[in-house]
């Protein structure tokens, strides 16, 4: 409650001073705004990106440097003292409290504002140099016109971040590359002269990993219950990626999710004679049902076979309430 009260007082002090190219944890701004501007920078001919990722940023913030930046605009010593106390509040692990000498308390209402206060110095440096960039929290992309320029920018920013802010660039996750070879806030772009937004492959992979847990839990549950758990995830994911111009990922996810549900039902039917009876009940001939039920292949293979698509067509899954990634994307694209 006290952190929230501090945030409400400090935000109007710092917010007007922040860069227009900072989009994280700010009122009226979002990740999608950063993605939109990144596409515009690429379309303007800045087709190389310096993709910066700060190493364990929220755990490595130097308290003295951060407090010096806060003190430039906040003169009340009691407020400064209180903020430092929150920064130094210990961590409790296994009932033991360990002191904190660096980093910000993750999950606290004040941490996002403090992160922007510190990284605003990076924003101002990039603006002073005349760079095109977008930053969302500790994820920053700087757009340049050649690889050589990008490599120079990378070296100089590594030096600046360490000398001025005591922050390290994560070498494993940072790179100078073409924008379509990287991802930014879950999105990537096509190679067209006027780039089109698309869902990054890593984002699709993470979604599948999340949905796999739902499918595993659903092995002993009714189809309707599994779909009820899937739909909020589908709806939220598509809402975030509604700006994507390329629909291939949505089509592939529709096919994948349908196959996973067919696989789930095949596992639930367990024995060959049960499978045969269910396939016959779903419209297959006795001969087709017998061949399919006793074919010796595993659930995933059978889930993709023609007899399963015939017995459990897509409209059957839709009738049970399963949302379509593609149709949901079209609906949101039309509404926006």
């Amino acid at each position: 409650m006290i952190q929230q009260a501090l945030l409400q007082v400090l935000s109007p002090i710092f917010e007007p001073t922040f860069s227009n190219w900072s989009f994280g944890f700010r009122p009226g701004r979002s990740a999608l705004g950063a993605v939109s501007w990144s596409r515009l920078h690429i379309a303007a001919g800045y087709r190389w990106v310096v993709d910066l990722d700060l190493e364990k940023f929220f755990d490595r913030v130097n308290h003295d440097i951060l407090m010096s930046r806060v003190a430039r605009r906040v003169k009340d010593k009691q407020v400064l003292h209180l903020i430092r106390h929150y920064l130094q509040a210990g961590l409790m692990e296994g009932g033991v409290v360990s002191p904190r000498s660096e980093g910000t308390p993750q999950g606290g209402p004040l941490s996002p504002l403090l992160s922007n206060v510190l990284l605003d110095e990076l924003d101002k440096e990039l603006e002073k140099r005349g760079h095109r960039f977008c930053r969302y929290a500790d994820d920053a992309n700087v757009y340049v016109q050649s690889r050589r320029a990008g490599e120079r920018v990378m070296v100089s920013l590594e030096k600046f971040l360490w000398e001025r802010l005591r922050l390290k660039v994560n070498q494993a996750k940072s790179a100078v590359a073409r924008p379509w070879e990287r991802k930014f806030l879950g999105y990537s772009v096509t190679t067209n002269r006027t780039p089109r937004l698309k869902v990054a492959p890593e984002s699709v992979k993470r979604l599948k990993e999340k949905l796999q847990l739902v499918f595993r839990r659903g092995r002993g549950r009714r189809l309707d219950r599994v779909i009820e758990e899937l739909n909020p995830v589908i709806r939220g994911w598509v809402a975030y990626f509604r700006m994507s111009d390329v629909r291939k990922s949505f089509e592939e996810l529709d096919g994948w999710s349908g196959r996973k549900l067919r696989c789930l039902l095949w596992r639930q039917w367990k024995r060959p004679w049960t499978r045969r009876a269910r396939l016959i009940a779903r419209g297959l001939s006795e001969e087709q049902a017998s061949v399919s039920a006793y074919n010796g292949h595993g659930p995933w293979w059978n889930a993709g076979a023609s007899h399963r698509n015939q017995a459990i067509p897509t409209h059957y899954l839709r009738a049970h309430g399963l949302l379509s990634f593609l149709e949901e994307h079209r609906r949101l694209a039309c509404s926006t």
Side-chain angles (χ1 to χ4, degrees), residues 39-281:
R39 173 170 56 178
L40 292 175
H41 292 325
I42 299 165
Y46 294 79
R47 294 168 70 82
W48 286 89
V49 63
V50 181
D51 187 354
L52 283 173
D53 184 271
L54 300 180
E55 189 174 280
K56 297 181 180 178
F57 170 69
F58 287 97
D59 296 328
R60 297 283 175 84
V61 169
N62 183 288
H63 290 172
D64 291 334
I65 294 174
L66 173 57
M67 289 306 303
S68 70
R69 300 320 185 255
V70 175
R72 289 174 182 176
R73 306 193 70 82
V74 177
K75 303 305 179 184
D76 190 310
K77 291 185 178 180
Q78 287 184 308
V79 172
L80 294 172
H81 185 68
L82 183 58
I83 294 172
R84 184 176 277 276
H85 265 295
Y86 275 119
L87 290 173
Q88 295 176 336
L91 297 171
M92 180 175 285
E93 294 178 331
V96 178
V97 177
S98 56
R100 183 198 296 273
S101 59
E102 59 181 9
T104 59
Q106 293 192 43
L110 201 54
S111 292
L113 176 65
L114 294 178
S115 69
N116 277 331
V117 169
L118 185 64
L119 290 176
D120 186 58
E121 191 153 340
L122 171 63
D123 298 339
K124 295 297 192 290
E125 178 68 17
L126 290 170
E127 287 178 344
K128 186 174 74 174
R129 297 182 187 184
H131 287 308
R132 293 184 177 232
F133 71 98
C134 293
R135 182 179 66 79
Y136 189 92
D138 58 333
D139 197 353
N141 275 6
V142 184
Y143 297 91
V144 294
Q145 293 180 308
S146 69
R147 175 183 284 278
R148 183 173 295 180
E151 289 170 349
R152 286 199 304 268
V153 170
M154 176 67 84
V155 171
S156 65
L157 288 181
E158 283 184 40
K159 183 180 179 182
F160 172 84
L161 286 164
W162 177 248
E163 291 182 351
R164 295 288 293 274
L165 303 177
R166 283 294 181 265
L167 295 173
K168 286 186 178 180
V169 173
N170 188 326
Q171 298 290 342
K173 295 183 179 179
S174 303
V176 176
R178 294 291 195 177
W180 47 87
E181 296 171 353
R182 307 293 293 176
K183 66 178 177 65
F184 182 49
L185 302 175
Y187 280 84
S188 188
V189 294
T190 64
T191 60
N192 304 60
R193 184 166 293 279
T194 302
R196 302 169 69 207
L197 291 174
K198 66 178 184 178
V199 181
E202 296 89 338
S203 300
V204 175
K205 181 181 178 182
R206 280 198 300 271
L207 174 68
K208 286 183 176 181
E209 289 171 353
K210 184 175 183 178
L211 293 182
Q212 285 280 24
L213 300 175
V214 179
F215 290 123
R216 287 196 192 102
R217 288 196 300 268
R219 291 181 181 179
R221 300 163 68 187
R222 290 175 49 210
L223 180 64
D224 292 352
R225 292 288 304 279
V226 178
I227 289 175
E228 281 178 12
E229 194 171 348
L230 287 174
N231 280 344
V233 180
I234 294 173
R235 193 177 287 113
W237 192 85
V238 175
Y240 180 77
F241 288 104
R242 64 184 181 273
M243 289 174 54
S244 175
D245 303 306
V246 180
R247 294 178 175 175
K248 183 180 178 182
S249 296
F250 302 94
E251 294 172 352
E252 290 178 348
L253 284 168
D254 273 337
W256 179 82
S257 59
R259 186 171 180 179
K260 291 295 289 186
L261 287 172
R262 294 183 183 97
C263 182
L264 183 67
L265 290 173
W266 191 257
R267 288 180 183 277
Q268 289 180 352
W269 294 348
K270 292 184 179 178
R271 292 175 171 77
W273 51 87
T274 304
R275 292 169 177 171
R276 179 181 180 277
R278 294 295 179 91
L279 290 173
I280 292 172

Side-chain angles (χ1 to χ4, degrees), residues 1-20:
M1 182 184 70
I2 298 172
Q3 283 197 50
Q4 183 63 36
L6 280 170
L7 176 66
Q8 290 176 201
V9 173
L10 294 176
S11 284
I13 296 173
F14 287 101
E15 180 62 32
T17 70
F18 289 152
S19 168
N20 286 331

